Amino acid sequence: MGVERFSVNGVERSFESSDTDSALDVVRDQIGLTGAKRVCEAGACGACTVLVDGAPAASCLMPSDTLGGRRVVTVEGLGGGDRLHPVQRAFLAQDAVQCGYCTPGFVLAGVAFFEDWRAEHGTGVPPESEIRAALSGQLCRCGCYLRILDAVREACAGRYDDGDDAVAHRHETLEKVTGRAEYTTDVRYPSQLEGVLVTSPYANAVVREMDDGAAAGLPGVRAVVRLLPEGGRIRHAGQEIVAVAADTAAAAREAAAAVKIRYDHSPAATSMDAAMAEGAPLVYGPKDRKSAPSAGEVPVLFPRRRWRGNVCSPAPPLAGRAARADRAVRRAFEEGTGAGQEAAPRAEGAGQGGAVVDGVWRTAGQSHVPLEAHACVASWDGDSLTVHLSTQAVSLVAHAVARRWHLKSDQVRVLADHVGGAFGAKQGLTAEAVAAIELSRASGRPVRVVLDQRAELAVGGHRPASRTHLALRTGADGGLTALRVEAFADTGTALGSDIAKVAGLLYPGAPRTLRDHSVVSHRPPGKPFRAPSGPPAFWALEQAVDEAAHRQGRDPLELRRAWDTEPVRRRLYDWVATATPWPERGPVAAGGGPVRRGLGLAAAAWYYYLQPRTKVRARVDTEGVEISVATQEIGTGCRSLLVSVFADGLGLAPGEVRARIGDSRLTPGPLAAGSSTTASLVPAAHDTLDRLRRRLLATATRELGLRAAAVALDGIRHAGGTVTWREALRLAAPTEVTGRRPRDRGRRPEPWYSPFFGRGQGAPSIVQVTEVEVDERFGLVRVVRTWCGLAVGRAVRPVLATTQCHGAVIQSIGQTLYEERLTDPATGLTLHTSLENYPIPGIGDVPEITVDFVPGGFDHVAQQAVGLAELAALATPASIGNAVFHATGRRMRSLPLDPAQLLGEAE
Amino acid sequence: MTHRPTRLARAARLGGPYRAGGTELTRLRRLGLAEGEPVDLRELAPLRGIERTADGLRIGAMVTLRELAGHPEVRTHYPALAQGALAVANPQVRSLATVGGNVLQQTRCAYFTHPDTDCLRKGGTDCPARDGHHAEAAVFDVRSCVAPHSSTLATILACFGALAQVTGRGTLSLDELLHQETTGGVPRPVPHTLAPGELLTAFMLPAPRPGERSAYLRVSRRALADWPLVEVAVRCAGAARVECVRVVAGAVAPRPWRLRAVEEAVLAGPATPDALRRGAALATTGAHALPGTRYKLRQLEAAVLAALERCWPASQEVPAPAR
Ligand SMILES: Cc1cc2nc3c(=O)[nH]c(=O)nc-3n(C[C@H](O)[C@H](O)[C@H](O)COP(=O)(O)OP(=O)(O)OC[C@H]3O[C@@H](n4cnc5c(N)ncnc54)[C@H](O)[C@@H]3O)c2cc1C
Ligand code: SF4
Ligand code: FES
Ligand code: FES
């Protein structure tokens, strides 16, 4: 340790340097400049970037004692005084921010490029390739890259040099581009402790003995709690056993290393194949099966399930419609296509001039890795508990906490001001929260627990890998006569998968048998991930349909038009013919040479979920209107949606409307799941707006003695003129109204696992056309361009909706081309330790993306507002697979499309 | 406390762990694999700078990759080195990472990086990657640890015939710097052969021959800032005829792997597309792929061909790896 001096954001400061700390430890933890984020700690993600003597540097890999005498600039120090840097302004105006966790790093890398560019080229427009290279060290899991490219380019070109600060598309962008936004990982109470988890290196074991006495006695250690008792069962490597809290993270890590645990470990089932093998070790016994968590969006609801070893299946239907369909499907296939075995893909004439397309399709596990890891800061105050949590479900978690610790609902408060990405992985009460709450109770101090990235990759969540046997039968006229889908999901210790069911969403009419199996193994539980079960379903189905078209010598678009009667999607097929290059598509594998281009098409549909009990409150005070609801912003822009409803509806500037969310004490609001936030919030907000206007009408009429007054667009019309909404608000303040989400017209939404979640009528749909380039020499695929046509009623805020779609496409490109969770077969350890070795798409991998919202449909939903965050994740993989087939004439069956598979050298 | 010696002799006496940019050392220390008080090399003048010498170029071990990639002398006379430096990692790593640290870096094998596994490189008795996941593994000399050497610059420097200056050991070839065998004749699973107290001070590059060209080609899955699956450096001279050629491959062996069979096949022959193709077909001579790395053999052959074609372009432009 030594005291050294450096300049940070223009101020000379002293800091404690040590030979173990990184520059990030100094800047973020010692000085409190939390705009610099800690994510991979391996130089791979760029979230910790700071400028050192003008050059971007990975502060997580920079030793703290090399900072002495240097000039450091963090995102907090950009711009001058109250003025933002042009790059920051460009980020506001170009909607270049989703969850915002990567934003400080991108802004700094953008500023470094901007300054170099300006020095050499003035306000010339930089070529895209140079911007991509300059930003190549920044990763964005939300997939905001295209917006960021636009922002940096436009800033360099001088578009944001002067003028007022640009108007942001999102409510919270200003906080995010300046590093002021406080995420859970940034929360710091004065006496806060750091908590660390001790996890199991074994996949299948029993904890025999624990000795945590030595750890508890180490200096700085304030609490040690056991998350699993002696005799407790370990079902996957990385399972949490003990938690330790100490004054500093280093002391807590040291204490964690001092905890001695003796295990009885046994052989583990570390893959789906191993778990299905004869004599495989069982993950659950008959008694503890109920404890398995859910890997799907909803709890596991098999009415009748049957276990065989580690495979959990629905019992086959005995009677009724499903049984009749089963028989019809069996007849259509005339037995023996063997969907149960590894049937080699084939297509053969099966009588009556039709054909069977039958094959096995695989997808690898995909980790969520939101840039902000699972994180919790818990603080007890007597019997009340405040929990800052990186979550997509403040209300739901507050209920779960109250239940688990036997608290009344007003004793628990869950807060999530900003959430650095979630994608489905942050819906429940997970280990980091349990540990923080217990440690805080034991120590009497606030405690922060943040998963390190190795833990995030191991246990933070993943989309289960899958194997889907799909067979479709066509009749003599080329129509679809039967569909059989049997899907096995590699769910780890969790249960639940709907791949086959989802594959049945398209092409209504033909009889179908859809069976979903969960295969449990000694690996961390799968979790819902953006459109759970969707991508594997359409990866199989839409390539099989493409294959059927190819066999019939028909245009895949025409075949879909013939098979698919759903009016919403038929409009999308028309869109393909007019808005994409599909009509000019040539024959399969036409190009010569090693680098080939291809065009692929895929369709997909999803459920329309909503949370019918959503309410929104509006409070009018002297400063304007405050909207509040217990929901949370994970990068979708829901604050902005709320603000825009009221700003537009009352003729106010967005600055006059404040949105308060991220607090479980507020009016009950939606969790961010199933693309249901928009569909829940927007209609509820409009209802609140209507009530508020009526309230304003009543007060204004009374106070001003208006005659013949009525609500109009611009205010209150009355016999003597118009009272603007702004005036009416002033008259009414203070007042408060609460609106609720109106029911959809027509048939009621089916309640879906709880009264809080419903599934409405109609199927939001997408049709996607993608162009790829395949390099046959190296087995590499690059996505060049993609066109997405979406039928989602009405896109409420098209700019934000488009940014969301970019994200879904880009995450999906990751799934299709790069991402594959690897488990060591011998030990069951998840091999990835950080974004250094878990490859998500970077800025160089992002194609041009065109998003069109094809209007119409969903007239039964107020505002025609249905969600779309998941749609573009559904069709991307199959559209790429079909494009690769078009380019090469070869059909890829496994995700990701790695070079081994492309080169025909897979193991 | 970090030591900051200002004289080589003192630095040598301190014995390490040496710290250049520290990007790799920080990782190793987090893994508990480089204990002790770091010896920072920043104040050692002989390790700095790039200079022209009587017989070539001297590149100090402490030169950052950012400096190396931008240096006019390097860009003009050793283009493959400048290209390679620019392909390593990303801007915010390149501004910290040094040439010496790059060449002496440890493996990136995921088993090595995982704290809950044991393996040959961590003093264990076997290599779990061999029977486990090893898609990034080597395809040459996989008798011991199957991880390839991870240094891009080592591959390119070897191609230029660079010599390392090491205190107390004089001048070493890249092979001598990085490769050592056990008594059983198997490569020792270590990143380099330097003992504590031995400091790498600089690399000496011979002056380019008249008409010399060079090319660096990297195959990686993601377009930018990804690790290579296969990389190839070629240095050559001659127009219609191959007057001299050296081909070194990276990410395929425990050390930079010279493809002598290719060199011999094309040397002194005509630089026609056919001849280059026949030469490149020998790129995998002596290779021994593991089940998960057979694809690398195809990539290697294609990458060697593409690199040779870049040195001797036929009529049309050769496409770079798709990205
Ligand atoms: C995201 C990312 C991507 C990367 N991609 C690539 C890539 O594609 N190709 C590639 O080659 N590398 C890659 N790297 C590795 C990177 O180049 C190295 O981390 C870096 O070059 C190490 O340099 P350093 O100066 O920071 O080394 P340090 O961390 O300071 O040192 C590294 C090792 O060398 C020793 N050492 C350093 N200098 C000397 C000396 N003069 N004498 C004796 N011993 C010394 C140290 O003791 C230590 O053991 C990547 C790294 C990251 C983080
Ligand atoms: S390849 Fe080498 S580093 Fe990797 S596990 Fe085997 S011995 Fe260890
Ligand atoms: S945290 Fe430093 S690069 Fe990821
Ligand atoms: S906006 Fe980039 S990670 Fe969320």
Side-chain angles (χ1 to χ4, degrees), chain A residues 40 42 44 139 453-454 457 818-822 830-840, chain B residues 27 108-114 136 222 226-227:
Chain A
C40 71
L139 294 174
Q453 210 172 35
R454 180 168 67 84
L457 279 158
Y818 316 120
E819 297 179 44
E820 175 175 17
R821 262 175 83 84
L822 296 178
T830 306
L831 283 176
H832 312 281
T833 51
S834 74
L835 285 171
E836 182 203 326
N837 51 27
Y838 184 80
I840 68 171
Chain B
R27 177 176 85 105
R108 295 277 160 167
C109 171
Y111 288 90
F112 176 83
T113 311
H114 199 294
E136 267 112 56
R222 288 176 294 169
D226 204 355
W227 287 86

Side-chain angles (χ1 to χ4, degrees), chain A residues 19 41 43 46 56 58 60 63 65 137-138 454 775 777-778 782 817 823-824 830 836 840 845 903 905-907, chain B residues 1-2 4 19 26 30 90 92 95 108 111 114-115 117 133 221-223 291 294 298-299 319-320 322-323:
Chain A
D19 62 26
E41 294 203 271
C60 66
D65 56 22
Q138 322 296 130
R454 180 168 67 84
D775 191 328
R777 299 170 299 169
F778 305 113
R782 179 175 76 99
L817 301 184
T823 305
D824 177 42
T830 306
E836 182 203 326
I840 68 171
D845 307 309
L903 294 172
E905 298 281 6
E907 272 183 76
Chain B
M1 252 278 289
T2 305
R4 297 160 197 261
R19 191 177 75 194
T26 303
R30 283 201 192 111
N90 54 49
Q92 65 268 24
S95 67
R108 295 277 160 167
Y111 288 90
H114 199 294
T117 59
H133 292 287
R221 286 176 76 176
R222 288 176 294 169
R294 286 194 308 260
R298 302 270 305 275
Q299 288 185 334
R323 49 187 43 164

Side-chain angles (χ1 to χ4, degrees), chain A residues 227-243:
Chain A
L227 303 172
L228 203 69
E230 284 181 341
R233 169 119 237 133
I234 303 288
R235 291 201 173 81
H236 61 79
Q239 192 173 322
E240 306 80 6
I241 304 170
V242 173

Side-chain angles (χ1 to χ4, degrees), chain A residues 10 19-20 30 37 131 195 261 361 369 426 478 528 556 562-563 583 586 593 597 605 774 788 843 846 889:
Chain A
D19 62 26
T20 46
Q30 256 190 52
K37 304 297 186 204
I131 308 176
I261 301 173
W361 306 86
V369 270
K426 295 179 178 169
W563 287 12
R597 293 255 172 147
V774 182
C788 306
I843 200 162
V846 176

Side-chain angles (χ1 to χ4, degrees), chain B residues 287-313:
Chain B
H288 177 91
L290 300 168
T293 57
R294 286 194 308 260
Y295 77 93
K296 277 199 178 185
L297 301 181
R298 302 270 305 275
Q299 288 185 334
L300 178 61
E301 185 182 327
V304 168
L305 180 61
L308 289 172
E309 286 173 342
R310 233 183 246 178
C311 289
W312 286 282

